[in-house]
Amino acid sequence: MKSTDKFTDKAELYAKYRPSYPLEYIDYLISEAGLNEDCMIADIGSGTGILSGQLLEKGFTVIGVEPNNDMRFVAEQTLKANSRFISLKATAENTTINDNSIDLVTVAQAFHWFDMEKFRLECQRILKQDAKVALVWNSRDGSSDINKESADICQKYCQNFKGFSGGMEETPIAFPQFFKDGKYELKYFRNDLPFDLSGFLGRYLSASYAPKKTDKEYHPFITALSNLFEKYSNNGKLVIPNITRSYFGKV
């Protein structure tokens, strides 16, 4: 399956259950990139528009580049009221954006799906001089027991599970090869996520590796996750330890 097809039929789950990014991170991004209201941001692999929406709320023009039809449609419906949102059906490696026109490139939860070298060249083409790229992930805190146990469940019932965030914890991405001269700023922001049972299940079902209702692993997967929720919840609620990781620099 092509990476651009991995979230087909999961767009509504993704939009409903995937978390947004901490306001502290959004403010950091604006400050470090030196943005003003006239700036244009390209959100590459924009999915259902979670990060795009947060940037639009700050008054920027945002070009959302998303190849998956289901994901892009949800973003367009969600953000259509904002005239500063521009939606493009295109890939990270061929965005169709004009040369030297972008003040900041953002990539949320998607960089691990890209051809890194082709995307780096595309960023160099579309970015204005000295403009930067921000790569960000909402990542489960791997030191917590509930996240360790949920990873075991995913390993058992999800055939395509390579680890959370596309397996980037197990197979680290070569960030120094992507950023100019190997230099970038790595920042962590706490972003713990509260869930009830439906939200907890939805968060896992929105993943690219999660089984669909037609798969034989679906019901055992749901049962195992429900039991895990019961183990750690209190009065029908629990908090998943989560960290927002940001990589920021020139390319």
Side-chain angles (χ1 to χ4, degrees), residues 18-90:
R18 286 296 180 110
S20 58
Y21 299 88
L23 293 180
E24 183 187 359
Y25 169 69
I26 302 297
D27 291 340
Y28 157 80
L29 204 54
I30 294 168
S31 174
E32 291 299 310
L35 300 179
N36 59 57
E37 62 183 11
D38 296 323
C39 288
M40 183 174 292
I41 300 171
D43 190 21
I44 312 298
S46 49
T48 60
I50 294 171
L51 180 58
S52 292
Q54 290 185 269
L55 295 169
L56 287 165
E57 287 175 0
K58 293 292 187 177
F60 302 110
T61 297
V62 179
I63 301 175
V65 176
E66 176 54 52
N68 184 281
N69 292 333
D70 289 2
M71 301 284 274
R72 192 179 63 260
F73 177 78
V74 170
E76 289 169 352
Q77 294 304 302
T78 303
L79 303 174
K80 64 182 178 182
N82 195 313
S83 61
R84 288 191 168 221
F85 181 63
I86 302 165
S87 180
L88 295 180
K89 176 180 171 62

Side-chain angles (χ1 to χ4, degrees), residues 10 13 200-208 210-211 218 221-222 225:
K10 296 193 175 187
L13 283 169
F200 181 74
L201 296 177
R203 173 63 184 86
Y204 285 89
L205 290 173
S206 73
S208 61
Y218 179 84
F221 182 57
I222 293 295
L225 287 175

Side-chain angles (χ1 to χ4, degrees), residues 109-245:
Q109 309 291 138
F111 183 72
H112 49 279
W113 301 120
F114 299 170
D115 181 308
M116 185 175 72
E117 181 58 24
K118 290 181 179 178
F119 177 58
R120 187 176 68 85
L121 294 173
E122 182 69 351
C123 288
Q124 291 175 348
R125 184 185 70 78
I126 67 175
L127 283 168
K128 294 178 181 177
Q129 187 174 2
D130 294 328
K132 296 180 179 180
V133 177
L135 312 177
V136 63
W137 283 266
N138 273 319
S139 300
R140 295 167 181 84
D141 184 343
S143 65
S144 76
D145 289 339
I146 187 172
N147 286 333
K148 290 176 182 177
E149 292 179 44
S150 68
D152 291 341
I153 290 171
C154 292
Q155 192 73 53
K156 183 175 181 179
Y157 295 109
C158 306
Q159 294 181 355
N160 297 317
F161 181 72
K162 297 181 178 65
F164 298 126
S165 297
M168 60 177 291
E169 297 286 359
E170 291 73 15
T171 308
I173 295 171
F175 293 108
Q177 294 179 23
F178 177 73
F179 288 102
K180 185 177 181 180
D181 300 325
K183 297 178 181 178
Y184 59 92
E185 183 172 56
L186 171 60
K187 295 269 288 187
Y188 296 93
F189 302 84
R190 199 77 213 178
N191 192 23
D192 294 336
L193 306 173
F195 288 112
D196 58 14
L197 177 59
S198 63
F200 181 74
L201 296 177
R203 173 63 184 86
Y204 285 89
L205 290 173
S206 73
S208 61
Y209 49 77
K212 299 179 181 179
K213 286 185 177 180
T214 52
D215 296 328
K216 69 180 188 305
E217 298 88 359
Y218 179 84
H219 290 294
F221 182 57
I222 293 295
T223 298
L225 287 175
S226 298
N227 291 339
L228 183 65
F229 182 89
E230 182 66 25
K231 177 180 177 180
Y232 284 98
S233 63
N234 183 23
N235 294 323
K237 305 284 185 181
L238 59 69
V239 174
I240 297 293
N242 189 78
I243 296 169
T244 296
R245 288 187 294 167

